[in-house]
Amino acid sequence: MNMITEPAPDTTSSAGTGDHPATDRCPATTVSPIGRSGRRARQFVLRTPGGALSLRVRARALLVGTALLLAAAAIAVVNLSSGDFPIPVGDVLRSLIGQGDPGTDFIVHELRLPRALVALLVGAALGASGAVFQGLTRNPLGSPDFVGMTVGAATGALVVILLLDGSGLQVAVGAIVGCVLTSIAIYLLAFQRGTQAFRLILMGVGVSALLEALNSYLIVKGRLDEALAAQVWLIGSLGGRGWTEVTIVAITLAALLPAVVHYGRHLNMLALGDDTATLHGVRVERSRAVLALASVGLAAGATAAAGPIAFVALAAPQLAARLTRSPGPGILPAAAMGAALLAGSDWAAQRVLPDNDIPVGVVTAAIGGLYLTWLLAREWRRGR
Amino acid sequence: MTQTTGVLTAPHTAEPVRAPRAGHAWRRGGLVLGVLTLACVLALSIAVGSRTIPLDTVWHVLWHDDGSAQADIVHQLRIPRTLLGLGVGAALGLAGALMQALTRNPLAEPGLLGVNLGASSGVVVAIAFLGLTSPSAYVWFAFGGAALTATAVFALGGSGRFPTPERQVLAGVSITAVLGALVWAVLVTNRGTFDRYRHWDVGSLADRDSDTLLRVAPFLIAGILLTLTLGGRLNALSMGDEAATALGAHPGRIRVLGVAAITLLCGAATAACGPIWFLGLAVPYIARLVTGPDHRWILAYAVVLGPVLLLGADVLGRVLTAPSELQVGIVTAFLGAPVFIALCRRRKLGAL
């Protein structure tokens, strides 16, 4: 692909061409877009000749995204090098490019690499899913875990673990089926001449309560060992993840991330209201449907691989938006942030308690819950 | 907690009141009907179970403990269980009504606002770090947890210039998330605690030793009495802080008393039975349909309706999956979640 760069056209003229500036403040967004500086951000457009494919890139977003990716990779390398048998970082890197000795290769490639990759990929999928979801619901609290999708995935997985005695791939399939069915149910329940963000979230709360009751019932009925395993799965864990899980989430990302990035350009337009978006050449219903389905798919793939890990999808887009000082959650920076967050949380989960590998979901929930409490307190003090 | 004119409308005005307002006669009739229903449910709760005992036999052994197997079942199992359901149902119904009145939020509910989980996390601490094993010993820890979360949710959910029902629910959810993480961190690294907790966590009236009822009864009774004395003042509060002050009420004092009562009610109920969802949501809602906005009537109805729903759900759980039984917490969630969803669909929700 022969990319050419050019300075971005003036925002006012670009609006008329169906292109739209990333710096739009959205009047319909009642909870604040984050960057409120009036300065015009420096940005440029990558375009294929003929303009069939184009991507507007803000310099700061590119910089932050790259830095986050590097940070995520660095944390992953630290995870690969530490453990019961510490391996120097240099040896880890040599092993990764195929120059290591057999013993190191075994530990790095067979034991630690799958887990590190699952952390990165699941984090990225959750971050991207959250960014799309928050863009669609126009709400910083819109997140797959809030609207009950991950609880539905958990129910699907529990049914497979506890009732059907399944494992591995079967659990993942159960989780995906549960997640998709729950999402459809919530959407239909929330639909009343269109959907409203808050109704969607409240329906999620209601359906979650129902499914959580079902989950705790299934756990009471199970034998202690199975129930404990199921509970660990319910919290979200990266322990014992292998290449199967890497494949699941890698395929999910490869299939859905391009679609999400392509249609994600319409999120800011959708935020202006359906009429305005239509006027600017956005096919509203199709964009929304593709984005919603892809977001559900990303969350489902991530959950199938690692269990319902809380709060990454909620916090990653917000944190990324603060760093990039952009009005809305950018999808790719959010994905990079998700990867860094989850890799870091996994490091903490393995190291916080001396001889216990606690599920990573505990770490993310603790961090995320505190973050959310702070976010709510701050938004409300501001009177929004 | 500052309230502004934006939220001066009380929850009942957001809900269309469907019942005809025929004055006291209508409300009194409804209450009598409720008490009769409660009597029927009490009888069912004693008679129905994995082993159904004919009502006349129940009546006989109730007064003449003849040492038969049936007398044992009735006296050792069914009566304590029914009394526990009576107390806990009344407590949760009242707690729901009280929370809705204090927050002016028709969606307020001990489960949704995280107070139940606060009590639960206290219980986890009790099991894991102090090795306590019986619900009657959990009660203080449940109180501590319930009090902390109730205060935190009210502080967070009631702050800001425009507190809305939805935000209070979200405050509950986010505080719940932090507590939940701590609970799980303890549970998954501790097999024994996990086993005990999972049985307690579903919310059940079964397998509670008879000591449980005696231990929590004083707190339940204190909470119920305290709540009932608040009725008139809640009416004043529902007109807004300024109007309430003008009428001679003290909004701050009412809230402190209210949170204290909620803590007593939810802490004791949760310690005894585990977290039970949606009862606190449904009871005041049904009560308001009949009584209209007067909190004195709503509270009176809640005392009667709470046990009717809880014991009804408990009996239903015993019948549905006989000979084993479905825990009452699961039945209430399955009956209550649809009600919650219906409520949210009916409310005209503004954008965030």
Side-chain angles (χ1 to χ4, degrees):
Chain A
M1 210 168 6
N2 179 20
M3 298 288 206
I4 55 168
T5 45
E6 62 181 31
D10 180 17
T11 47
T12 46
S13 66
S14 74
T17 62
D19 210 345
H20 49 273
T23 45
D24 266 347
R25 284 288 308 271
C26 317
T29 313
T30 40
V31 172
S32 71
I34 284 83
R36 53 190 74 248
S37 65
R39 281 177 295 128
R40 168 82 47 80
R42 234 171 300 159
Q43 46 184 295
F44 48 90
V45 176
L46 300 175
R47 236 174 229 154
T48 52
L53 283 173
S54 74
L55 185 63
R56 177 183 300 274
V57 180
R58 291 175 62 237
R60 191 180 170 94
L62 188 66
L63 202 70
V64 168
T66 315
L68 284 172
L69 266 186
L70 287 176
I75 298 170
V77 169
V78 170
N79 276 342
L80 289 177
S81 76
S82 57
D84 289 339
F85 301 96
I87 302 171
V89 171
D91 288 359
V92 169
L93 293 177
R94 254 193 297 284
S95 174
L96 282 180
I97 55 172
Q99 306 280 314
D101 59 88
T104 315
D105 276 358
F106 175 73
I107 293 178
V108 170
H109 287 259
E110 298 301 317
L111 300 182
R112 294 184 189 163
L113 190 58
R115 177 173 184 155
L117 282 178
V118 170
L120 290 177
L121 296 174
V122 165
L126 288 176
S129 172
V132 174
F133 219 86
Q134 293 177 6
L136 277 179
T137 57
R138 284 179 245 157
N139 185 331
L141 298 173
S143 127
D145 15 327
F146 258 49
V147 296
M149 284 151 61
T150 48
V151 184
T155 305
L158 282 187
V159 167
V160 173
I161 297 175
L162 295 174
L163 298 184
L164 308 175
D165 281 326
S167 60
L169 192 61
Q170 293 159 321
V171 176
V173 172
I176 292 177
V177 171
C179 181
V180 171
L181 287 182
T182 313
S183 313
I184 295 173
I186 292 172
Y187 181 79
L188 290 180
L189 283 172
F191 192 88
Q192 256 177 349
R193 280 168 279 135
T195 50
Q196 271 182 329
F198 243 128
R199 189 178 284 127
L200 205 62
I201 292 172
L202 287 177
M203 290 301 150
V205 171
V207 172
S208 301
L210 189 70
L211 292 174
E212 267 162 21
L214 186 61
N215 289 352
S216 55
Y217 176 71
L218 289 173
I219 282 185
V220 171
K221 288 282 149 189
R223 284 185 293 109
L224 179 56
D225 286 322
E226 281 180 345
L228 193 55
Q231 184 65 58
V232 169
W233 195 92
L234 264 190
I235 300 165
S237 168
L238 297 172
R241 295 302 187 266
W243 290 106
T244 317
E245 283 81 10
V246 176
T247 317
I248 294 171
V249 63
I251 290 176
T252 312
L253 267 179
L256 296 178
L257 199 56
V260 163
V261 171
H262 181 72
Y263 282 94
R265 299 174 306 160
H266 298 164
L267 278 176
N268 282 338
M269 275 291 124
L270 289 173
L272 292 175
D274 289 2
D275 295 342
T276 319
T278 311
L279 274 179
H280 286 97
V282 175
R283 293 195 191 168
V284 173
E285 288 308 326
R286 193 172 74 173
S287 298
R288 211 189 326 253
V290 170
L291 283 168
L293 281 177
S295 165
V296 171
L298 285 168
T303 308
I309 292 175
F311 282 108
V312 173
L314 182 85
Q318 294 296 310
L319 294 175
R322 284 192 159 75
L323 287 180
T324 58
R325 293 195 193 144
S326 68
I331 291 164
L332 290 175
M337 178 55 103
L341 270 184
L342 197 56
S345 299
D346 189 37
W347 180 85
Q350 294 179 70
R351 307 280 171 269
V352 166
L353 295 180
D355 41 44
N356 272 315
D357 185 3
I358 58 173
V360 70
V362 169
V363 178
T364 60
I367 299 172
L370 289 175
Y371 163 77
L372 180 60
T373 309
W374 171 81
L375 179 78
L376 291 177
R378 212 187 62 113
E379 292 286 340
W380 296 347
R381 230 189 352 262
R382 201 186 284 150
R384 283 170 182 281
Chain B
M1 270 188 242
T2 53
Q3 307 280 350
T4 63
T5 48
V7 286
L8 283 184
T9 45
H12 41 260
T13 52
E15 301 288 341
V17 179
R18 279 188 186 158
R21 303 265 189 84
H24 290 287
W26 173 266
R27 297 178 196 166
R28 227 172 264 151
L31 200 57
V32 171
L33 196 67
V35 172
L36 290 178
T37 318
L38 180 59
C40 294
V41 176
L42 286 173
L44 277 177
S45 173
I46 294 177
V48 176
S50 54
R51 185 163 168 184
T52 301
I53 307 173
L55 273 175
D56 53 340
T57 315
V58 171
W59 186 252
H60 178 74
V61 299
L62 202 57
W63 307 110
H64 310 94
D65 188 351
D66 51 13
S68 65
Q70 284 145 337
D72 269 359
I73 293 178
V74 167
H75 283 277
Q76 304 299 321
L77 299 174
R78 301 262 174 92
I79 289 180
R81 179 174 183 159
T82 304
L83 288 178
L84 191 62
L86 188 68
V88 166
L92 291 175
L94 280 176
L98 195 52
M99 286 182 106
Q100 297 188 2
L102 288 180
T103 59
R104 302 189 180 99
N105 176 354
L107 300 178
E109 203 258 343
L112 289 175
L113 291 197
V115 180
N116 280 352
L117 197 95
S120 305
S121 48
V123 169
V124 169
V125 169
I127 302 177
F129 297 119
L130 303 171
L132 303 180
T133 50
S134 87
S136 53
Y138 299 157
V139 67
W140 290 107
F141 292 88
F143 279 144
L148 282 177
T149 17
T151 316
V153 172
F154 276 98
L156 192 60
S159 65
R161 270 185 284 157
F162 303 104
T164 66
E166 293 79 11
R167 284 175 187 175
Q168 276 158 349
V169 172
L170 290 177
V173 171
S174 61
I175 287 174
T176 306
V178 185
L179 284 174
L182 300 177
V183 168
W184 297 129
V186 171
L187 286 181
V188 295
T189 51
N190 190 329
R191 261 174 78 94
T193 309
F194 172 73
D195 197 26
R196 234 172 272 134
Y197 180 82
R198 68 172 175 151
H199 284 104
W200 180 84
D201 183 47
V202 282
S204 168
L205 292 173
D207 306 325
R208 310 296 180 206
D209 48 25
S210 51
D211 208 23
T212 305
L213 178 64
L214 292 178
R215 214 51 100 76
V216 299
F219 303 105
L220 287 178
I221 293 169
I224 291 171
L225 291 180
L226 178 58
T227 311
L228 291 178
T229 62
L230 287 173
R233 284 182 272 177
L234 290 178
N235 281 345
L237 194 66
S238 70
M239 286 183 271
D241 283 11
E242 282 153 38
T245 314
L247 287 171
H250 302 272
R253 201 182 296 165
I254 299 173
R255 288 208 181 85
V256 170
L257 285 176
V259 171
I262 289 169
T263 304
L264 281 172
L265 295 169
C266 295
T270 308
C273 302
I276 290 176
W277 286 76
F278 287 119
L279 203 69
L281 181 83
V283 166
Y285 177 70
I286 300 171
R288 265 200 306 274
L289 287 180
V290 185
T291 64
D294 189 337
H295 284 103
R296 291 167 300 183
W297 281 98
I298 295 177
L299 293 180
Y301 268 70
V303 173
V304 177
L305 283 177
V308 168
L309 292 190
L310 187 65
L311 287 171
D314 190 39
V315 171
L316 201 61
R318 282 183 249 169
V319 175
L320 281 180
T321 54
S324 73
E325 57 177 74
L326 207 56
Q327 285 80 356
V328 67
I330 305 205
V331 181
T332 56
F334 269 77
L335 297 177
V339 175
F340 174 78
I341 288 168
L343 260 176
C344 294
R345 278 179 67 89
R346 259 190 44 195
R347 273 172 55 81
K348 288 193 178 61
L349 296 170
L352 173 66

